Amino acid sequence: MNALQRLRRQLELGLAGDLRLVPQGERSGGTGKQLLVIAARPIPTVDYYLRELVREHPNARIVYDAEVERWCGPTPTEVVAPDTRVVLVRMPSSRWASVIAAAGPRICEVAWLIDDDVAAAREDTWLPRDYRLRLLSEYLRFRRDFAAQIDRVWASTPRIAARFPAPRVELRPPRSAASEPASRWVTIFYHGTASHRREYTFLLPIFEQVQASCQNTIIEVVGDHALYRIARNIPRMRVLHPLRWPDYLAVLAAGKYDIGLAPLLETPFNLARSGIKALEITSIGAQGVLSDRPPYSDYGHLPGLHLVGDEPSAWLERILALVARAG
């Protein structure tokens, strides 16, 4: 947050006075046969507060800010169905206010689910200042654009509920978010180092395709924050910081790893690499996909190791085949 943004938000907060949001919607409610959950992005609040409710509504929809164009763009392709209960989770984009207004009587109720005492952040100096200002600024924006639309507040705790008029608030504590039975999770790992920049460049597009094709795969890599920034938009991908060797061995032994990757592209430095990565993969009983060149070609006879060429399509095909077998 730059200095100008900080000053603007401080002035905005100072002029705000009372931070209370008073629901002003006039809908009397209905059967709510349809359920539309709106959130800024996937967050724990949706899972821990609404998963059971979503399961009770076969036609429930969970939508995020990135999808709002389909609902209120120049040529919207989505419409709100009749008898829909809308649940706003935390503080989604203000563009959803126009979707709600346009739906009119098709919406039987708008509920706002809030699980943080946002108003309390105003005086909490333990919170980082920029975080506090950004949070309160977002809250003021949300209050301005949605208060007239909200019929009822769903509060996570009695303390938060006490901030709203009693007839307009309902206590909704979190509930179990146990997952439904699904395919077994398959963990793919590439534990490269800073010397493997070319290999990471080679693998990242393959990771994107794997995650787009499979819904039960987790990818783990080792790297710094720069790698995290590059890879953070790939779903279900975690980046571990480099560890000391004894700690890394403990993590490797304790983890559940299914498919290990060891690309080795042709560079002057790579010509002298050893086959440690091949041994590392086999030591934990994982399947391995490795470059078909020395030194890895010398270990191709070991159980579970698969040698492939430098074509990304060959890597993708072999990884997907191993995922299907493991899942």
Side-chain angles (χ1 to χ4, degrees):
M1 184 186 303
N2 60 41
L4 184 60
Q5 285 178 315
R6 188 179 296 112
L7 178 60
R8 179 181 62 79
R9 289 179 174 176
Q10 285 173 334
L11 290 172
E12 182 182 45
L13 185 59
L15 295 172
D18 189 352
L19 290 183
R20 285 181 301 175
L21 184 153
V22 179
Q24 300 167 24
E26 299 179 351
R27 301 173 188 85
S28 57
T31 60
K33 292 182 180 178
Q34 309 293 327
L35 180 67
L36 180 63
V37 176
I38 300 173
R41 60 193 175 278
I43 53 175
T45 309
V46 174
D47 284 323
Y48 285 104
Y49 288 84
L50 297 175
R51 180 173 291 185
E52 291 302 317
L53 183 63
V54 168
R55 285 175 177 169
E56 293 168 5
H57 290 74
N59 299 320
R61 298 281 302 275
I62 301 176
V63 296
Y64 304 109
D65 284 356
E67 305 169 59
V68 70
E69 194 72 19
R70 302 210 310 261
W71 297 76
C72 69
T75 55
T77 57
E78 300 278 4
V79 295
V80 178
D83 199 17
T84 292
R85 174 172 287 107
V86 174
V87 180
L88 303 171
V89 180
R90 290 196 177 185
M91 295 173 288
S93 166
S94 292
R95 297 186 68 191
W96 291 108
S98 64
V99 176
I100 294 171
R106 294 196 297 275
I107 295 177
C108 66
E109 184 180 60
V110 176
W112 178 38
L113 172 59
I114 180 67
D115 61 344
D116 281 334
D117 194 352
V118 181
R122 186 178 204 168
E123 310 302 331
D124 191 341
T125 57
W126 286 99
L127 293 173
R129 183 176 61 163
D130 283 355
Y131 172 84
R132 190 167 73 247
L133 289 174
R134 178 167 50 83
L135 177 67
L136 290 166
S137 178
E138 282 293 295
Y139 171 72
L140 292 174
R141 182 270 307 168
F142 178 85
R143 184 181 68 170
R144 180 190 68 237
D145 296 331
F146 286 96
Q149 301 280 11
I150 295 171
D151 305 296
R152 177 172 292 274
V153 174
W154 289 358
S156 63
T157 68
R159 188 178 184 89
I160 294 176
R163 292 191 178 273
F164 301 93
R168 294 277 198 154
V169 67
E170 181 179 336
L171 193 59
R172 290 259 180 163
R175 300 173 65 179
S176 171
S179 299
E180 296 177 346
S183 300
R184 187 177 79 86
W185 288 104
V186 177
T187 301
I188 302 165
F189 70 101
Y190 175 57
H191 293 166
T193 68
S195 67
H196 293 102
R197 289 174 55 189
R198 188 177 177 190
E199 281 72 26
Y200 274 119
T201 301
F202 173 78
L203 283 176
L204 285 173
I206 297 173
F207 288 158
E208 291 178 347
Q209 295 177 75
V210 169
Q211 299 302 72
S213 301
C214 307
Q215 298 303 310
N216 65 323
T217 46
I218 295 171
I219 295 175
E220 180 180 285
V221 296
V222 172
D224 57 13
H225 194 68
L227 177 61
Y228 166 75
R229 288 198 303 270
I230 296 171
R232 64 184 172 184
N233 291 326
I234 300 176
R236 304 183 309 283
M237 183 164 175
R238 62 188 177 214
V239 180
L240 300 182
H241 283 295
L243 299 168
R244 297 181 306 163
W245 177 245
D247 297 331
Y248 173 70
L249 282 179
V251 168
L252 195 67
K256 186 196 76 65
Y257 295 107
D258 300 291
I259 302 169
L261 307 180
L264 191 67
L265 303 179
E266 190 169 356
T267 69
F269 189 73
N270 280 349
L271 292 175
R273 293 274 190 187
S274 71
I276 283 178
K277 286 296 179 186
L279 299 177
E280 190 172 89
I281 292 169
T282 59
S283 71
I284 58 173
Q287 297 287 307
V289 183
L290 304 90
S291 290
D292 189 7
R293 62 166 41 90
Y296 294 146
S297 55
D298 298 334
Y299 296 89
H301 63 283
L302 296 179
L305 297 188
H306 308 265
L307 301 176
V308 294
D310 291 341
E311 285 298 319
S313 59
W315 282 78
L316 178 62
E317 181 180 349
R318 186 55 59 94
I319 291 170
L320 292 180
L322 292 175
V323 169
R325 187 189 306 174

